Every structure is written in C-alpha cells, then in structure tokens.
Amino acid sequence: MFPKDGANIPEIRFAGFTDAWEQRKLESICGKIRNAFVGVATPYYVEGGHFYLESNNVKDGQINRNKQVFINDEFYKKQKNNWLHTGDIVMVQSGHVGHTAVIPEELDNTAAHALIIFSNYREKVDPYFLNYQFQTHNSKKKLGNITTGNTIKHILASEMKNFQVDIPKYEEQKKIGNFFRQLDDTITLHQRELNSIKDLKKSLLQQMFI
C-alpha cells in the first residue's frame, strides 16, 4: 500500500485514488523536528506525578504503558517548550531506533525523554499515515542508513529533517491511516482476550493443584 523504492504509485490501492504520490523531505511537512529532553532525569522520578513518556513506551507504531515512569511537578514544568501535543509523532532515537507512535488526545501536554518529536505540521496531514510509513521495509532501510553506533544505535533529529517520505493527497493518507489503525485495534483486542485466557488458566491450575 506504499510505493516501492523508486516508484510513485503503490501496487495495492483503495478504489478511487489514481494520483501519483510525491516524495518529500520531512522538514517540508513538519515545522518542528526536535529532541525531547536527553539529560539525566532519574533524580526527578516520583511515585505518582506526571507520566513521562520514554523510549520503552514506544514500540511497533504504538504507545504502551506497561512500564510507567512519573516525574515531579517542577521538572515537568521545565519541559513545557517540549511538551507533546495530540497528533505529534515521536520516534525512538537510541536503542531500538526508528520505532514511532502518534500522541493520542489523552497524552496531550505530556513530557518526554530521549525521543525525536515531529510537530507543527505545515499542511493538512494524517499523522497515523506517516506513523505507518515509518514501519515499512523501505523506511526502515533508509533509517538504517543514517543510524550510527555499534553497541547502542542512535539517530539524530537533524538527520530526520532530510528524511524522505512518500506522500499522497490527504484523503488517501486518511484512508490508509484508518485502515492500519483498525488492524492495530483488532490485534490489541485479541491480545487482551488471550492474556485473560492465560490468566484464567494459571488461576485454575493453581486452584486444582493446591
């Protein structure tokens, strides 16, 4: 559903769309491409404060809160210029580099650590479309070409400004973004059901062998 390298039309397409896609640099789409806080944040961790979005919360195009870190009010307010807003895209910049996610409404005004932030779109764009494009084989290959480091991989926000993406008109972006979001929602639903069944099995086994 995304063009192959060197092509400007995808092989699989929703009905009604025939226009060629454009290849664009991210800086022509996103008004701001910058780093979230990258210093030491552990002194500001608290038991229950402001949720702090970190790289381990971003995987495979989605945000998970399996492991949560919270920061105090003072440190949170210092990050105000880099707070995340609904529709922003974040990318892991160290470790499992290139993994991205879109900021949902419930995480508006969240602070983040060691992530690249894409925001202030210069035009009407579907962030979920861009999010899924980062997960394609072609994008992962291009990301690999600008990743540095042997033991710990790293990518720079400045490198992402010239990163090229394939862009169709907004209506087609929206169609593709919604399609993959529905797939992710279905996977999440079945995963929860599977986890519930596993928990039930574990509980029954414990009761039967007491």
Side-chain angles (χ1 to χ4, degrees):
M1 298 181 76
F2 292 86
K4 290 183 177 179
D5 193 15
N8 61 2
I9 293 177
E11 293 180 359
I12 301 173
R13 209 165 191 185
F14 287 105
F17 299 105
T18 57
D19 293 334
W21 291 27
E22 294 182 64
Q23 193 167 74
R24 304 263 299 279
K25 291 181 179 180
L26 278 176
E27 66 178 352
S28 74
I29 300 168
C30 303
K32 287 187 178 180
I33 300 175
R34 64 197 190 281
N35 290 317
F37 182 77
V38 293
V40 177
T42 48
Y44 309 103
Y45 287 1
V46 290
E47 286 296 320
H50 300 277
F51 172 63
Y52 196 42
L53 186 68
E54 298 186 311
S55 59
N56 57 18
N57 300 120
V58 180
K59 195 76 179 287
D60 297 327
Q62 295 182 301
I63 291 174
N64 71 77
R65 298 180 68 168
N66 299 331
K67 181 181 179 182
Q68 298 188 92
V69 166
F70 300 93
I71 54 174
N72 64 31
D73 195 56
E74 180 185 359
F75 183 64
Y76 169 73
K77 288 178 179 177
K78 285 183 178 179
Q79 311 307 315
K80 187 172 183 178
N81 290 337
N82 277 329
W83 283 355
L84 302 168
H85 298 292
T86 306
D88 289 353
I89 297 174
V90 290
M91 174 181 282
V92 176
Q93 66 178 114
S94 293
H96 56 292
V97 297
H99 284 257
T100 58
V102 178
I103 300 303
E105 189 174 352
E106 61 267 26
L107 291 182
D108 191 49
N109 291 334
T110 297
H113 183 265
L115 296 168
I116 298 173
I117 306 169
F118 303 88
S119 63
N120 294 63
Y121 302 113
R122 300 181 188 274
E123 60 191 71
K124 193 175 183 181
V125 65
D126 181 50
Y128 290 94
F129 166 82
L130 289 175
N131 179 44
Y132 290 114
Q133 181 160 174
F134 282 126
Q135 298 176 55
T136 64
H137 173 75
N138 189 30
S139 287
K140 288 181 178 179
K141 182 179 177 181
K142 290 191 291 185
L143 285 167
N145 291 335
I146 58 176
T147 298
T148 60
N150 295 319
T151 305
I152 299 176
K153 302 296 182 182
H154 189 80
I155 197 166
L156 300 173
S158 57
E159 291 279 4
M160 293 307 301
K161 292 181 179 181
N162 292 318
F163 190 87
Q164 292 190 324
V165 292
D166 297 303
I167 295 289
K169 291 186 174 173
Y170 176 75
E171 291 73 18
E172 190 169 5
Q173 293 178 37
K174 195 73 177 174
K175 199 88 171 177
I176 294 170
N178 285 338
F179 174 76
F180 283 106
R181 283 182 72 186
Q182 289 173 4
L183 286 180
D184 273 341
D185 288 345
T186 302
I187 291 169
T188 300
L189 176 63
H190 286 296
Q191 187 63 53
R192 286 174 181 164
E193 291 174 347
L194 178 61
N195 290 338
S196 295
I197 293 170
K198 286 181 177 179
D199 289 341
L200 175 61
K201 176 186 174 183
K202 182 178 179 181
S203 176
L204 291 173
L205 285 170
Q206 288 175 342
Q207 292 178 46
M208 289 174 68
F209 291 92
I210 291 176

